[in-house]
Amino acid sequence: MAPGQLFVPIVAERDGHDFIPMAVAAGATAYLTSKDVDAAPGVAAIRVPDTAVALADVGRAARRRLPGRVVGITGSVGKTSTKDLLSGVLASTYRTAASEKSFNNELGLPLTLLGAPDDTEAVVLEMGARGIGHIATLCDIAEPDVGVLTRVEGVHLELFGSIEAVAQTKGELIAALPDDGIAVLNADDPNVLAMRSRTSARVLTYGLSSGVDVFASDVVLDEQLRASFVLHTPWGSAPVALGARGEHQVPNALAAAAAGGGLGVSVEAIVAGLAGAALSGLRMELLTLDSGLTVINDAYNANPTSMAAALRSLARLDARRRVAVLGTMAELGPSAPAAHREIAALAESLGIDVVAVAEPDYGDGVTHVVDVEAAADALGDVGASDAVLVKGSRVAALERVVALLGS
């Protein structure tokens, strides 16, 4: 809390009403409540039937204060990186607000809208989902003018049940767009491209091959894993040098370029915005430790697609030995054992040793350890000419391995 803020208690595993006295002591000047709570002098207690619903309603009110150029981004992978890249592109031309970190649900999205300054000219909103109807609910709050859909993958199948359900849910963003809106679709993913039938909005396609609206040619990576390419758009072409690392960031940059161009950002400003955009933390951070060891810290999250991309990035580094410290890929449902074995097989084909942390599904042929301390110990013989990737789903919190290696 900061003085002057509104406190919204959420009832979940813990009841946020229990923290109202702490919020008031920290300077809250008002709070929502669905219970009878003793109000402190000078602090407004605003009674509502449901505090989470009220937060969404306040988010709707905040959205109506904003002009157009509200962009929603969803997809199975690449949402946050695309959000970061598009924020950089739009900020080159407009006063821009964007979701912090991965504030992409029914709590984070209203907070982003509420936090947008009064003079905001563009807003970029990441939209996540854990079931059918979730994206539609977020769109009801945000009323996006532009929808960006990155990919539809077999991620979170434990929650969705099928890739068809994933596609149905992600497509709720495209279906919610107004007739004068813009749908930005990944032409390299047939499930995404099929979403054009769900909207009457203008469609802009992007991909890695020609024949689409926005595409890249001549993609190369430098020794720091930063991609450069020639950007081709309906508004002109230009060379791009990304600050973001990994070849898998190129499609995300193309999505950002398409959305930015559709909203009137010049090609020159798009190039500058992509070059200067900073990704959220724990995503493809390339570190050199005091020992000289090179570390890719990509520990924020993991799924089969992003895991494969990170392994291929590690394989491109000039190193004597390459090791991947891998945690679980969560919420894959029945496909989890096979998906983990496939990642282990890919690592082997790339000449990468694997240290699996508390995840037996990676199978034989890898080093299995029980926790992050054991993982750091297993890496004890790596040195200045070696490279290590650290990656797993958020529940694994494998950034702790990086901290131990650097201590």
Side-chain angles (χ1 to χ4, degrees), residues 145-148 174 177-184 201-204 258-259 262-263:
D145 306 290
V146 179
V148 179
I174 306 305
L177 296 173
D179 291 346
D180 60 351
I182 303 172
V184 178
R202 174 189 179 192
V203 174
L204 288 172
L263 288 173

Side-chain angles (χ1 to χ4, degrees), residues 138-393:
L138 298 180
C139 290
D140 182 64
I141 299 170
E143 300 178 9
D145 306 290
V146 179
V148 179
L149 215 166
T150 60
R151 295 194 68 86
V152 172
E153 302 276 4
V155 178
H156 305 310
L157 290 184
E158 184 176 271
L159 304 171
F160 285 96
S162 69
I163 196 165
E164 290 78 16
V166 176
Q168 178 182 342
T169 302
K170 302 302 182 181
E172 290 167 2
L173 168 60
I174 306 305
L177 296 173
D179 291 346
D180 60 351
I182 303 172
V184 178
L185 304 179
N186 183 354
D188 294 333
D189 186 329
N191 287 314
V192 174
L193 193 58
M195 301 296 177
R196 67 192 315 159
S197 66
R198 298 185 64 173
T199 185
S200 56
R202 174 189 179 192
V203 174
L204 288 172
T205 57
Y206 70 92
L208 294 175
S209 58
S210 59
V212 298
D213 295 312
V214 177
F215 65 96
S217 65
D218 305 314
V219 178
V220 296
L221 289 186
D222 67 12
E223 69 281 357
Q224 294 290 308
L225 302 178
R226 295 169 300 203
S228 61
F229 58 92
V230 177
L231 172 68
H232 304 271
T233 79
W235 315 283
S237 300
V240 171
L242 293 181
R245 292 182 173 88
E247 190 170 359
H248 59 289
Q249 296 295 351
V250 174
N252 298 332
L254 295 175
L263 288 173
V265 180
S266 69
V267 171
E268 294 77 15
I270 289 172
V271 170
L274 291 174
L279 296 192
S280 299
L282 306 182
R283 290 173 173 83
M284 292 301 293
E285 296 176 350
L286 190 63
L287 312 171
T288 301
L289 305 185
D290 291 343
S291 64
L293 176 66
T294 299
V295 176
I296 300 175
N297 185 0
D298 198 32
Y300 187 80
N301 214 339
N303 55 63
T305 301
S306 66
M307 189 72 85
L311 286 172
R312 292 191 175 97
S313 294
L314 174 63
R316 287 177 174 269
L317 289 177
D318 183 14
R320 180 194 64 181
R321 182 187 176 205
R322 302 174 185 86
V323 185
V325 180
L326 306 182
T328 188
M329 295 183 291
E331 299 178 347
L332 295 180
S335 66
H340 285 86
R341 288 194 299 271
E342 288 170 4
I343 288 299
L346 175 62
E348 181 180 14
S349 71
L350 294 171
I352 296 170
D353 298 327
V354 172
V355 176
V357 184
E359 181 46 84
D361 281 347
Y362 284 111
D364 299 332
V366 309
T367 300
H368 288 275
V369 297
V370 296
D371 55 30
V372 295
E373 289 79 10
D377 290 342
L379 293 171
D381 60 343
V382 292
S385 57
D386 302 322
V388 172
L389 165 70
V390 179
K391 188 168 180 64
S393 284

